[in-house]
Amino acid sequence: MDLFRTAEKMGFQWLKILNKDPRLDGMDDLSGTEIPLHYIFKLASHAIHLVVFYERSGHYLWHGPLRLKQHMDRKFVPFRKLHFGRYPGAYEKPELLLASIDDLKVQIPKNPSSFLEEISHSRFLECRYREARAFFQLYPDDASLDAVEFRKKAKSLLHLAALTLNNLGVKFWLSSGTCLGWYRQCNIIPYSKDVDLGVFIRDYKADIIPAFQKAGLPLKHKFGKVEDSLELSFQGEGDIKLDIFFFYEEDDHIWNGGTQAKSGKKFKYLFPKFTLCWTEFVELKVHVPCETLQYVEANYGPDWRVPVKMWDWKSSPSNVQDNGVWPVDEWDDVIQIY
């Protein structure tokens, strides 16, 4: 490439870092395909770190991790100081502007501060393609018309929910069965009957209900209240619904609530603390808990790999606890069914 020849003429040494394209990890014949991820140019005590971005099918930009292979010179530059690319990252596609810096024409993001702000929470987790393939060898995928139809509706519901929450600036993640489907089989579980999202209660906005109604998703039920055990459910196309669970942070754990409408009984689901990472799921850039295994195990126990079709939200989860009963005089507020 001309770039490297020119760099060498100017006295630069360079290092190219290739790795497998993670999207091909689930395919035997293609999993050897390597793509360039990073280039490091060095001149005396100066280094230029070039990070290669790829556009992915969720219409966002992705870069791979800076991982040195065994034969590489670890003293080439002080790699510990190269923070950009320590983990794979995902970014919104920025609009670019042509700028002139020291008479050098370069492109920069139109909104540099928002791009820089993305860096600190850009960490990306790839779907576990190999494990998903192994799962389907044990439990062949349901390819029936009903399953295909459900997945199609669930995907479009998830895209609509993401658009609605993103427009409101409300951060959310895949939760419950939707998170399990991503982690275990890189797909929507065809018998799950709903789409599950999590939102921290600190990110709650009163506009959420009207925004979903405006998007054509009527409110199906509202349980709890902002201070305690809030949960919203919206009706999607056909019999598929969207459940949004709100999570409350304590000193050493995080929890969300559940309410049984006919008895007013309250339940609590405990999770170890977690942070949020990006992933791609059904062609959508979306958050999942970075500590996904602990999150899934909290909810589904050590046997989460085994499909369970009969699931009772009040007794099946490993992390469920009784949490008292709503006082009868509050029922009109905390148990609303439409």
Side-chain angles (χ1 to χ4, degrees):
M1 276 171 75
D2 291 346
L3 172 66
F4 303 111
R5 278 200 292 274
T6 308
E8 282 170 5
K9 279 180 188 165
M10 293 173 74
F12 280 94
Q13 293 172 276
W14 56 275
L15 187 67
K16 176 163 69 169
I17 293 156
L18 299 166
N19 221 320
K20 287 180 187 173
D21 186 335
R23 293 167 292 184
L24 306 178
D25 214 16
M27 310 178 204
D28 275 342
D29 51 339
L30 295 171
S31 58
T33 309
E34 293 204 317
I35 53 173
L37 297 179
H38 297 261
Y39 295 97
I40 316 283
F41 296 89
K42 180 174 80 164
L43 182 62
S45 61
H46 297 281
I48 297 169
H49 180 192
L50 181 64
V51 183
V52 184
F53 280 76
Y54 291 86
E55 188 170 344
R56 301 261 304 230
S57 57
H59 306 299
Y60 61 94
L61 298 178
W62 170 90
H63 69 74
L66 177 58
R67 290 224 177 91
L68 298 184
K69 298 196 173 169
Q70 277 177 329
H71 64 273
M72 286 182 170
D73 176 6
R74 282 169 159 63
K75 295 192 174 72
F76 185 72
V77 292
F79 285 101
R80 285 174 185 275
K81 292 185 177 173
L82 302 182
H83 297 295
F84 199 175
R86 189 164 287 180
Y87 301 109
Y91 291 78
E92 292 300 307
K93 278 174 67 179
E95 202 180 322
L96 298 174
L97 287 180
L98 200 58
S100 182
I101 300 171
D102 294 338
D103 293 333
L104 188 66
K105 290 208 165 11
V106 292
Q107 285 190 311
I108 60 167
K110 186 176 180 183
N111 187 341
S113 59
S114 72
F115 179 78
L116 291 168
E117 203 260 328
E118 275 190 89
I119 294 174
S120 60
H121 49 85
S122 64
R123 189 175 172 186
F124 182 90
L125 296 182
E126 204 65 57
C127 173
R128 301 158 71 247
Y129 300 108
R130 283 182 189 195
E131 290 85 348
R133 209 172 46 164
F135 173 82
F136 286 127
Q137 280 168 350
L138 275 177
Y139 308 101
D141 198 14
D142 182 353
S144 69
L145 200 58
D146 282 353
V148 170
E149 194 57 31
F150 172 76
R151 277 189 172 140
K152 195 172 138 194
K153 284 180 186 168
K155 176 182 172 180
S156 97
L157 180 58
L158 183 56
H159 277 248
L160 182 57
L163 183 66
T164 307
L165 290 170
N166 288 340
N167 284 343
L168 289 173
V170 172
K171 195 184 272 190
F172 69 94
W173 64 90
L174 304 181
S175 192
S176 305
T178 308
C179 185
L180 176 64
W182 169 76
Y183 191 66
R184 186 174 70 188
Q185 55 215 70
C186 294
N187 210 335
I188 290 160
I189 298 173
Y191 50 82
S192 57
K193 296 290 170 264
D194 51 24
V195 169
D196 301 307
L197 301 180
V199 172
F200 286 118
I201 197 66
R202 63 168 183 258
D203 296 324
Y204 171 79
K205 288 185 177 172
D207 309 350
I208 290 175
I209 294 173
F212 274 101
Q213 289 171 324
K214 196 175 170 188
L217 301 174
L219 187 63
K220 190 172 161 58
H221 72 237
K222 175 176 179 258
F223 293 153
K225 51 189 175 181
V226 175
E227 311 82 70
D228 182 7
S229 305
L230 184 65
E231 174 192 329
L232 301 175
S233 184
F234 296 92
Q235 188 62 56
E237 188 189 341
D239 59 353
I240 180 172
K241 63 188 175 68
L242 170 74
D243 291 331
I244 302 180
F245 303 104
F246 289 87
F247 283 67
Y248 298 78
E249 292 183 79
E250 306 284 350
D251 289 341
D252 58 349
H253 67 277
I254 293 174
W255 63 276
N256 74 291
T259 295
Q260 187 179 28
K262 62 175 190 277
S263 67
K265 271 190 185 172
K266 295 168 69 183
F267 299 88
K268 199 176 203 180
Y269 304 88
L270 268 58
F271 292 86
K273 289 208 156 185
F274 57 88
T275 51
L276 294 178
C277 283
W278 291 110
T279 191
E280 183 180 312
F281 185 59
V282 294
E283 294 174 6
L284 187 67
K285 172 178 168 256
V286 67
H287 278 122
V288 288
C290 301
E291 300 76 13
T292 329
L293 177 59
Q294 294 91 311
Y295 189 84
V296 165
E297 275 193 337
N299 220 177
Y300 297 99
D303 294 331
W304 57 269
R305 290 176 185 81
V306 181
V308 175
K309 293 196 179 179
M310 300 304 290
W311 183 261
D312 183 333
W313 60 271
K314 301 179 296 303
S315 58
S316 299
S318 305
N319 58 343
V320 66
Q321 293 184 353
D322 286 340
N323 193 27
V325 182
W326 288 109
V328 176
D329 60 354
E330 288 189 33
W331 280 25
D332 283 352
D333 282 334
V334 298
I335 302 173
Q336 297 180 13
I337 299 173
Y338 299 91

Coordinates of all heavy atoms in Angstrom, one line a residue, residues 236-281:
G236 N -48.0 -5.1 21.4 CA -47.4 -5.0 20.0 C -48.4 -5.6 19.1 O -49.6 -5.8 19.4
E237 N -47.9 -6.0 17.9 CA -48.8 -6.6 16.8 C -49.2 -8.0 17.2 O -48.4 -8.8 17.8 CB -47.9 -6.6 15.6 CG -48.7 -7.0 14.3 CD -47.7 -7.3 13.1 OE1 -46.6 -6.8 13.2 OE2 -48.2 -7.9 12.2
G238 N -50.4 -8.3 17.0 CA -50.9 -9.7 17.4 C -50.9 -9.8 18.9 O -51.3 -8.9 19.6
D239 N -50.4 -11.0 19.4 CA -50.4 -11.2 20.8 C -49.0 -11.0 21.4 O -48.8 -11.4 22.6 CB -50.9 -12.6 21.1 CG -50.0 -13.7 20.5 OD1 -49.1 -13.3 19.7 OD2 -50.2 -14.9 20.7
I240 N -48.1 -10.3 20.7 CA -46.8 -10.1 21.2 C -46.8 -8.8 22.0 O -47.3 -7.8 21.6 CB -45.7 -10.1 20.1 CG1 -44.3 -9.8 20.7 CG2 -46.0 -9.1 19.1 CD1 -43.3 -10.0 19.6
K241 N -46.1 -8.8 23.2 CA -46.1 -7.6 24.0 C -44.6 -7.2 24.3 O -43.7 -8.0 24.3 CB -46.9 -7.7 25.3 CG -46.5 -8.8 26.3 CD -47.6 -8.9 27.4 CE -47.3 -10.1 28.3 NZ -46.1 -9.9 29.2
L242 N -44.5 -5.9 24.7 CA -43.2 -5.4 25.1 C -43.2 -5.1 26.6 O -44.1 -4.3 27.1 CB -42.9 -4.1 24.4 CG -41.7 -3.3 24.8 CD1 -40.4 -3.9 24.4 CD2 -41.8 -1.8 24.3
D243 N -42.4 -5.7 27.4 CA -42.3 -5.5 28.8 C -41.1 -4.7 29.2 O -40.0 -5.0 28.7 CB -42.2 -6.8 29.6 CG -43.5 -7.6 29.5 OD1 -44.6 -7.0 29.4 OD2 -43.5 -8.9 29.5
I244 N -41.3 -3.6 29.9 CA -40.1 -2.8 30.4 C -40.1 -2.9 31.9 O -41.0 -2.5 32.6 CB -40.3 -1.3 29.9 CG1 -40.4 -1.2 28.4 CG2 -39.1 -0.5 30.4 CD1 -40.6 0.2 27.9
F245 N -39.0 -3.4 32.4 CA -38.8 -3.6 33.8 C -37.8 -2.5 34.3 O -36.8 -2.2 33.7 CB -38.1 -4.9 34.1 CG -39.0 -6.1 33.6 CD1 -38.6 -6.8 32.4 CD2 -40.1 -6.5 34.2 CE1 -39.4 -7.8 32.0 CE2 -40.9 -7.5 33.7 CZ -40.5 -8.2 32.6
F246 N -38.2 -1.8 35.4 CA -37.3 -0.7 35.9 C -36.5 -1.3 37.1 O -37.0 -2.0 37.9 CB -38.2 0.4 36.3 CG -38.8 1.2 35.1 CD1 -40.0 0.7 34.6 CD2 -38.1 2.2 34.5 CE1 -40.5 1.4 33.4 CE2 -38.6 2.8 33.4 CZ -39.8 2.4 32.8
F247 N -35.2 -1.0 37.1 CA -34.3 -1.5 38.0 C -33.8 -0.5 39.0 O -33.6 0.6 38.7 CB -33.1 -2.1 37.3 CG -33.3 -3.4 36.6 CD1 -34.2 -3.5 35.5 CD2 -32.7 -4.6 37.0 CE1 -34.5 -4.7 34.9 CE2 -33.0 -5.8 36.4 CZ -33.8 -5.8 35.3
Y248 N -33.8 -1.0 40.3 CA -33.4 -0.1 41.4 C -32.1 -0.5 42.0 O -31.8 -1.7 42.2 CB -34.5 -0.3 42.5 CG -35.9 0.2 42.0 CD1 -36.7 -0.6 41.2 CD2 -36.4 1.4 42.4 CE1 -37.9 -0.2 40.7 CE2 -37.7 1.8 41.9 CZ -38.4 1.0 41.1 OH -39.6 1.4 40.6
E249 N -31.2 0.5 42.3 CA -29.9 0.2 42.7 C -29.8 0.3 44.3 O -30.2 1.3 44.8 CB -28.9 1.1 42.1 CG -28.7 0.9 40.6 CD -27.7 1.8 40.0 OE1 -26.5 1.5 40.1 OE2 -28.1 2.8 39.4
E250 N -29.3 -0.8 44.9 CA -28.9 -0.7 46.3 C -27.4 -0.8 46.4 O -26.7 -0.8 45.4 CB -29.6 -2.0 47.0 CG -31.1 -2.1 46.8 CD -31.9 -1.2 47.6 OE1 -31.4 -0.5 48.5 OE2 -33.1 -1.1 47.3
D251 N -26.9 -0.8 47.7 CA -25.5 -0.7 47.9 C -24.8 -1.9 47.2 O -23.7 -1.8 46.6 CB -25.1 -0.7 49.4 CG -25.5 0.6 50.0 OD1 -25.6 1.6 49.2 OD2 -25.6 0.7 51.2
D252 N -25.3 -3.1 47.4 CA -24.6 -4.3 46.9 C -25.3 -5.1 45.9 O -24.9 -6.2 45.5 CB -24.2 -5.2 48.1 CG -25.4 -5.6 48.9 OD1 -26.5 -5.1 48.6 OD2 -25.3 -6.5 49.7
H253 N -26.5 -4.6 45.4 CA -27.2 -5.4 44.4 C -28.1 -4.4 43.6 O -28.3 -3.3 44.0 CB -27.9 -6.6 44.9 CG -29.1 -6.2 45.8 ND1 -28.9 -5.9 47.2 CD2 -30.4 -6.0 45.6 CE1 -30.0 -5.6 47.7 NE2 -31.0 -5.6 46.8
I254 N -28.7 -5.0 42.6 CA -29.7 -4.2 41.8 C -31.0 -5.1 41.7 O -30.8 -6.4 41.7 CB -29.2 -4.0 40.4 CG1 -28.0 -3.0 40.4 CG2 -30.2 -3.4 39.4 CD1 -27.3 -2.8 39.1
W255 N -32.2 -4.6 41.7 CA -33.4 -5.4 41.7 C -34.5 -4.8 40.8 O -34.5 -3.6 40.6 CB -33.9 -5.7 43.1 CG -34.3 -4.5 43.8 CD1 -33.5 -3.6 44.6 CD2 -35.7 -3.9 43.9 NE1 -34.3 -2.6 45.1 CE2 -35.6 -2.8 44.7 CE3 -36.9 -4.3 43.4 CZ2 -36.7 -2.0 45.0 CZ3 -38.0 -3.6 43.7 CH2 -38.0 -2.4 44.5
N256 N -35.3 -5.6 40.3 CA -36.6 -5.1 39.7 C -37.7 -5.8 40.4 O -37.6 -6.9 41.0 CB -36.6 -5.3 38.2 CG -36.8 -6.7 37.8 OD1 -35.9 -7.6 38.0 ND2 -37.9 -7.0 37.1
G257 N -38.9 -5.2 40.3 CA -40.1 -5.8 41.0 C -41.1 -6.5 40.1 O -41.0 -6.3 38.8
G258 N -42.0 -7.2 40.7 CA -43.1 -7.8 39.9 C -44.3 -7.8 40.8 O -44.2 -7.7 42.0
T259 N -45.5 -7.7 40.2 CA -46.8 -7.6 40.9 C -47.7 -8.6 40.3 O -47.9 -8.7 39.1 CB -47.3 -6.2 40.8 OG1 -46.5 -5.2 41.4 CG2 -48.7 -6.1 41.4
Q260 N -48.4 -9.3 41.2 CA -49.5 -10.2 40.8 C -50.8 -9.5 40.9 O -51.2 -9.0 42.0 CB -49.5 -11.5 41.7 CG -50.5 -12.5 41.1 CD -50.6 -13.8 42.0 OE1 -50.3 -13.7 43.2 NE2 -50.9 -14.9 41.4
A261 N -51.4 -9.3 39.7 CA -52.6 -8.4 39.7 C -53.8 -8.8 40.6 O -54.4 -8.0 41.3 CB -53.1 -8.3 38.2
K262 N -54.0 -10.1 40.6 CA -55.3 -10.6 41.3 C -55.1 -10.6 42.9 O -56.1 -10.4 43.6 CB -55.8 -11.9 40.8 CG -54.8 -13.1 41.0 CD -55.5 -14.4 40.6 CE -54.8 -15.6 41.0 NZ -53.7 -15.9 40.0
S263 N -53.9 -10.7 43.3 CA -53.7 -10.7 44.8 C -53.0 -9.5 45.4 O -52.9 -9.3 46.6 CB -52.8 -12.0 45.1 OG -51.5 -11.8 44.6
G264 N -52.3 -8.7 44.5 CA -51.6 -7.5 45.0 C -50.2 -7.9 45.6 O -49.5 -7.1 46.1
K265 N -49.9 -9.2 45.4 CA -48.6 -9.7 45.9 C -47.4 -9.1 45.1 O -47.5 -8.9 43.9 CB -48.4 -11.2 45.8 CG -49.0 -12.0 46.9 CD -48.6 -13.5 46.8 CE -49.2 -14.3 47.9 NZ -49.0 -15.7 47.7
K266 N -46.3 -8.7 45.9 CA -45.2 -8.1 45.3 C -44.0 -9.1 45.3 O -43.9 -9.9 46.2 CB -44.7 -6.9 46.1 CG -45.7 -5.8 46.1 CD -45.4 -4.7 47.1 CE -44.1 -3.9 46.7 NZ -43.8 -3.0 47.8
F267 N -43.2 -9.1 44.2 CA -42.0 -9.9 44.1 C -40.8 -9.1 43.8 O -41.0 -8.0 43.2 CB -42.2 -11.0 43.0 CG -43.4 -11.9 43.3 CD1 -44.7 -11.6 42.9 CD2 -43.2 -13.1 44.0 CE1 -45.8 -12.4 43.2 CE2 -44.3 -13.9 44.3 CZ -45.6 -13.6 43.9
K268 N -39.7 -9.6 44.1 CA -38.4 -8.8 43.9 C -37.4 -9.8 43.2 O -37.3 -10.9 43.6 CB -37.9 -8.4 45.3 CG -36.9 -7.3 45.3 CD -36.6 -6.9 46.7 CE -36.1 -5.5 46.8 NZ -35.7 -5.2 48.2
Y269 N -36.7 -9.3 42.2 CA -35.7 -10.1 41.5 C -34.4 -9.5 41.7 O -34.1 -8.4 41.2 CB -36.1 -10.2 40.0 CG -37.5 -10.7 39.8 CD1 -38.6 -9.9 39.7 CD2 -37.7 -12.1 39.6 CE1 -39.9 -10.4 39.6 CE2 -39.0 -12.6 39.4 CZ -40.1 -11.7 39.4 OH -41.3 -12.2 39.2
L270 N -33.5 -10.2 42.3 CA -32.2 -9.6 42.7 C -31.1 -10.0 41.7 O -31.0 -11.2 41.3 CB -31.7 -10.2 44.1 CG -32.1 -9.3 45.3 CD1 -33.6 -9.1 45.4 CD2 -31.6 -10.0 46.6
F271 N -30.3 -9.0 41.3 CA -29.1 -9.2 40.4 C -27.9 -8.6 41.0 O -27.9 -7.6 41.7 CB -29.4 -8.4 39.1 CG -30.6 -9.0 38.3 CD1 -31.9 -8.6 38.5 CD2 -30.3 -9.9 37.3 CE1 -32.9 -9.1 37.8 CE2 -31.4 -10.4 36.5 CZ -32.7 -10.0 36.8
P272 N -26.7 -9.3 40.7 CA -25.5 -8.6 41.1 C -25.3 -7.4 40.3 O -25.9 -7.2 39.2 CB -24.4 -9.7 40.7 CG -25.0 -10.6 39.8 CD -26.5 -10.6 40.0
K273 N -24.5 -6.4 40.8 CA -24.4 -5.1 40.1 C -23.7 -5.4 38.7 O -22.9 -6.3 38.5 CB -23.5 -4.2 40.9 CG -24.2 -3.7 42.1 CD -23.7 -2.3 42.5 CE -24.8 -1.6 43.3 NZ -24.4 -0.2 43.7
F274 N -24.1 -4.6 37.7 CA -23.6 -4.8 36.4 C -23.4 -3.4 35.7 O -24.0 -2.4 36.1 CB -24.5 -5.7 35.6 CG -25.9 -5.2 35.4 CD1 -26.3 -4.3 34.4 CD2 -26.9 -5.6 36.4 CE1 -27.6 -3.8 34.3 CE2 -28.2 -5.1 36.3 CZ -28.6 -4.3 35.3
T275 N -22.7 -3.4 34.6 CA -22.5 -2.2 33.8 C -23.0 -2.6 32.4 O -23.4 -3.8 32.2 CB -21.0 -1.9 33.7 OG1 -20.3 -3.0 33.3 CG2 -20.5 -1.3 35.0
L276 N -23.1 -1.6 31.5 CA -23.7 -1.9 30.2 C -22.7 -1.8 29.1 O -21.8 -0.9 29.1 CB -24.8 -0.8 29.9 CG -26.0 -1.0 30.9 CD1 -27.1 0.1 30.5 CD2 -26.7 -2.3 30.8
C277 N -22.8 -2.8 28.2 CA -22.0 -2.8 26.9 C -22.9 -2.8 25.7 O -24.1 -3.2 25.8 CB -21.2 -4.1 26.9 SG -19.7 -4.1 28.0
W278 N -22.3 -2.5 24.6 CA -23.1 -2.6 23.3 C -23.0 -4.0 22.8 O -22.0 -4.7 23.0 CB -22.5 -1.6 22.3 CG -22.8 -0.2 22.6 CD1 -21.8 0.8 23.0 CD2 -24.0 0.5 22.6 NE1 -22.4 2.0 23.2 CE2 -23.8 1.9 22.9 CE3 -25.3 0.1 22.3 CZ2 -24.8 2.8 23.0 CZ3 -26.3 1.1 22.3 CH2 -26.1 2.4 22.7
T279 N -23.9 -4.4 22.0 CA -23.8 -5.6 21.2 C -24.7 -5.3 19.9 O -25.3 -4.3 19.8 CB -24.3 -6.8 21.9 OG1 -23.9 -8.0 21.1 CG2 -25.8 -6.9 22.1
E280 N -24.7 -6.3 19.0 CA -25.6 -6.2 17.9 C -26.6 -7.4 18.0 O -26.1 -8.6 18.2 CB -24.9 -6.3 16.6 CG -25.8 -6.2 15.4 CD -25.1 -6.2 14.0 OE1 -24.1 -5.5 13.9 OE2 -25.6 -7.0 13.2
F281 N -27.9 -7.1 17.9 CA -28.9 -8.2 18.0 C -30.0 -7.9 17.0 O -30.5 -6.8 17.0 CB -29.5 -8.2 19.5 CG -30.4 -9.3 19.7 CD1 -30.1 -10.6 19.6 CD2 -31.7 -9.0 20.2 CE1 -30.9 -11.6 19.9 CE2 -32.6 -10.0 20.5 CZ -32.2 -11.3 20.3

